[in-house]
Amino acid sequence: MVVRLDNELWFPDPHFGEDDGCIAVGGDLSVDRLLLAYSYGIFPWYAYRYDDPVWYCPMQRFVIFPEEIHISHSMRTMMNKDKYQVSMNQAFDTVIETCGKLRENEDMGWLGPQMTEAYKELYRQGFAASVEVWEKTETDGQTEKRFVGGLYGVTIGNSFFGESMCSLVPSASKLALIYLAKAMARAGGRLIDCQLETPHLKSMGGRFIPYDEYLKIIRE
C-alpha cells in the first residue's frame, strides 16, 4: 500500500509497502524529514520532472559491509600506479552536481534542483558526505589535479547511505567506494547502504540482507 504524506512529519510502516519497496508519495525534502526517513532506511527517489517525492524502503537491502569490500586485481593495479588522489568532503557540491548532470537526460533522472539543494543542506548540517577522486598530472614540475569522479551519501550513526556515484574516467567511482569502505572500517563503521543492486556493486562485495537485520544495524 502506498500512502500519501501530508505536512506532518511521519512515514508509514515500510513492512506494508509495495513489492518494489514504494511506501509513500508526497511530503517535502526538509532536513528533518530526510533524517527521519534514513533512520528507518527509507529514501526518496523520483523523476524531478514531476512534483512529488516518491519514498522507497525495500524489504531486501543491498549493502556492503566495509570489512568485506572486494578489491579486484585491476583495481589494485590502478591504486598502485599513484595516478589518482582521493579526498573526503573537499568538493561535495562538485560531486552531486556532476552526478546530476550525467543523468539529467535519463527518463528517471532524479537529481534536479530541489533534490540537489536538499542534499547540499544535509551536507552543510553535517549529515552528508562525499568522496572525491582527482587525477594528478605534472606540468612544468608542478603537480596539478582535476576532478574525475566520486560518490556522495547520507551519514547517520555508524552507517553510510549511498546516493549516487560518478566517473569521468574508468573506475573512478570504484576507487571512491574502496576509499570509503576502508575509512569506515578503520572508524568502526558498520554498513554501506547501496539501495539498488548493480553488477559493479555486487562485484565489490555487495549482498542482500533482510530489512529487519538491516534496521537493527543502522539503529545501533
Side-chain angles (χ1 to χ4, degrees):
M1 180 176 67
V2 178
V3 174
R4 173 159 289 279
L5 300 177
D6 51 29
N7 292 328
E8 297 295 323
L9 198 60
W10 70 286
F11 284 99
D13 186 338
H15 291 88
F16 300 107
E18 299 292 296
D19 290 342
D20 64 356
C22 185
I23 65 166
V25 296
D28 57 28
L29 294 172
S30 67
V31 168
D32 287 344
R33 190 181 294 275
L34 286 170
L35 291 179
L36 176 63
Y38 282 99
S39 68
Y40 286 93
I42 300 167
F43 58 90
W45 185 33
Y46 72 122
Y48 65 81
R49 297 170 182 83
Y50 301 95
D51 293 333
D52 289 329
V54 182
W55 302 90
Y56 286 82
C57 187
M59 290 293 100
Q60 291 294 315
R61 307 304 298 239
F62 196 71
V63 305
I64 293 176
F65 292 99
E67 67 277 7
E68 295 180 4
I69 190 75
H70 175 70
I71 306 174
S72 67
H73 175 73
S74 61
M75 286 305 301
R76 291 187 187 278
T77 301
M78 178 182 178
M79 294 162 68
N80 290 335
K81 287 182 177 179
D82 196 34
K83 183 179 180 180
Y84 299 100
Q85 178 181 332
V86 185
S87 61
M88 184 173 285
N89 293 332
Q90 297 300 306
F92 184 90
D93 288 6
T94 299
V95 174
I96 191 171
E97 289 167 7
T98 303
C99 288
K101 186 174 182 180
L102 291 175
R103 294 166 178 79
E104 63 184 353
N105 293 322
E106 295 180 4
D107 289 340
M108 288 301 292
W110 55 276
L111 264 175
Q114 184 185 13
M115 186 75 87
T116 298
E117 184 54 38
Y119 285 96
K120 286 183 178 181
E121 184 59 29
L122 276 179
Y123 174 72
R124 287 191 285 266
Q125 296 196 29
F127 296 108
S130 62
V131 180
E132 307 89 19
V133 179
W134 311 88
E135 185 177 46
K136 297 186 292 184
T137 58
E138 292 284 338
T139 304
D140 297 327
Q142 300 293 320
T143 300
E144 299 180 352
K145 62 182 185 179
R146 69 181 183 99
F147 175 79
V148 293
L151 59 83
Y152 79 95
V154 176
T155 58
I156 301 177
N158 60 19
S159 300
F160 183 91
F161 304 85
E163 278 299 318
S164 194
M165 311 170 77
C166 59
S167 291
L168 301 180
V169 298
S171 299
S173 62
K174 289 184 178 181
L175 184 57
L177 182 59
I178 291 168
Y179 181 93
L180 171 67
K182 286 180 170 288
M184 288 186 66
R186 288 193 300 269
R190 292 290 308 280
L191 179 147
I192 300 171
D193 182 358
C194 301
Q195 295 186 349
L196 302 174
E197 178 186 9
T198 69
H200 123 218
L201 290 173
K202 186 176 181 179
S203 73
M204 297 185 73
R207 59 186 173 95
F208 285 104
I209 62 172
Y211 174 69
D212 289 337
E213 178 184 345
Y214 162 93
L215 188 62
K216 181 180 179 180
I217 294 171
I218 68 171
R219 304 207 75 191
E220 285 178 349

